[in-house]
Amino acid sequence: MTEIPIAKPILDLNDRLAAANRALLDSHGVFMLDLIASPGAGKTTTILATIAALRDTYSVAVIEGDIASDVDARKIKEQGIPAVQINTGGICHLEARMISQALDALDLDSLDLIIVENVGNLVCPTDFYLGEDCKIVILSVPEGHDKPLKYPGVFQVAQAIILSKIDTMPVFDFDERQFRSDIEHINPHALIFPISATKDHGVKTWVRWLSEQIEQKRRMKAKTAHETE
């Protein structure tokens, strides 16, 4: 039986488009992160808390990915932040070509940070590089500490993991020690940021790390510009 390798050509094309996205962002010194989480994990709430902490220092835009609706994008725009809505029409993840179109709609010269809120899913977005500087996974306490074992792929590719809704820890049977042990086994280099966005707990630590990444991207652009003079 002859097998037709469909996935590889699709991913190869996606990776080429993602590399072009990354080159464009690098040329403008814009840091982009791909935020992945299940529905209800607190992605939009975390984004809003992040924006509130950063907006006096950095210019931020958001790319919202949803199967349908623009509810989250409207929440972002209400805060005076540029937001581009991508409706995938049933596709369970964002792809590089979608991000390319969204970048065309943004004024990259005026931005420092782009937050991509991927479609709510812990499986499909894992394999699709968008041109981002890093992938961040949000896991909420109510989802349970066993998710890294059930969905190891997404936790393996994450540079950092936000453990959200930690204020609900006393209510749910969440074993934080086991969670950290599993992450250490799956991805020992991943940073873990426990936060409660609604209670403003842990947000400063997360934002401090993110600010360091933005500054590093700025320095890279400045160095490149200097070398080409």
Side-chain angles (χ1 to χ4, degrees):
M1 181 176 65
T2 302
E3 293 186 3
I4 301 175
I6 296 175
K8 188 177 187 303
I10 292 174
L11 290 176
D12 285 348
L13 175 58
N14 181 84
D15 287 349
R16 289 197 297 272
L17 294 173
N21 290 343
R22 179 61 177 273
L24 177 64
L25 292 165
D26 286 350
S27 70
H28 289 273
V30 179
F31 186 87
M32 186 170 79
L33 63 87
D34 179 16
L35 202 58
I36 302 173
S38 299
K43 293 194 300 297
T44 305
T45 304
T46 300
I47 288 172
L48 289 171
T50 302
I51 288 171
L54 289 176
R55 65 184 308 159
D56 290 340
T57 307
Y58 301 110
S59 296
V60 186
V62 177
I63 297 175
E64 285 285 348
D66 287 294
I67 290 176
S69 89
D70 63 348
V71 173
D72 293 335
R74 283 190 278 112
K75 290 179 182 178
I76 301 298
K77 289 180 179 179
E78 286 171 1
Q79 303 303 312
I81 299 298
V84 179
Q85 179 69 52
I86 300 175
N87 289 130
T88 65
I91 299 175
C92 60
H93 57 270
L94 292 176
E95 297 177 4
R97 61 181 176 83
M98 302 173 185
I99 298 301
S100 177
Q101 294 171 352
L103 294 178
D104 287 342
L106 293 170
D107 180 8
L108 298 181
D109 286 328
S110 68
L111 294 175
D112 301 300
L113 170 67
I114 297 175
I115 301 174
V116 177
E117 181 175 351
N118 217 311
V119 179
N121 195 314
L122 287 180
V123 180
C124 300
T126 303
D127 294 327
F128 285 83
Y129 176 45
L130 306 177
E132 74 277 359
D133 290 275
C134 68
K135 288 188 185 295
I136 307 294
V137 178
I138 297 181
L139 176 71
S140 66
V141 166
E143 292 177 86
H145 60 264
D146 59 348
K147 290 301 178 289
L149 295 181
K150 291 184 175 181
Y151 305 98
V154 70
F155 291 95
Q156 287 171 343
V157 300
Q159 280 87 343
I161 298 159
I162 294 175
L163 179 61
S164 68
K165 305 183 183 182
I166 60 169
D167 54 305
T168 66
M169 195 82 75
V171 181
F172 293 93
D173 183 23
F174 189 95
D175 188 334
E176 187 174 1
R177 176 179 290 183
Q178 184 63 53
F179 165 74
R180 289 180 176 274
S181 175
D182 291 339
I183 294 297
E184 176 67 23
H185 177 71
I186 293 170
N187 184 355
H189 302 294
L191 300 172
I192 299 175
F193 297 100
I195 75 167
S196 171
T198 57
K199 306 293 184 182
D200 197 29
H201 180 89
V203 175
K204 289 182 180 178
T205 303
W206 149 247
V207 167
R208 187 182 306 118
W209 177 82
L210 182 54
S211 297
E212 290 171 356
Q213 312 314 304
I214 297 170
E215 289 298 327
Q216 183 177 351
K217 190 68 175 278
R218 280 179 156 188
R219 289 193 294 270
M220 287 175 58
K221 180 192 175 186
K223 180 181 179 182
T224 301
H226 177 73
E227 290 174 347
T228 56
E229 287 179 354

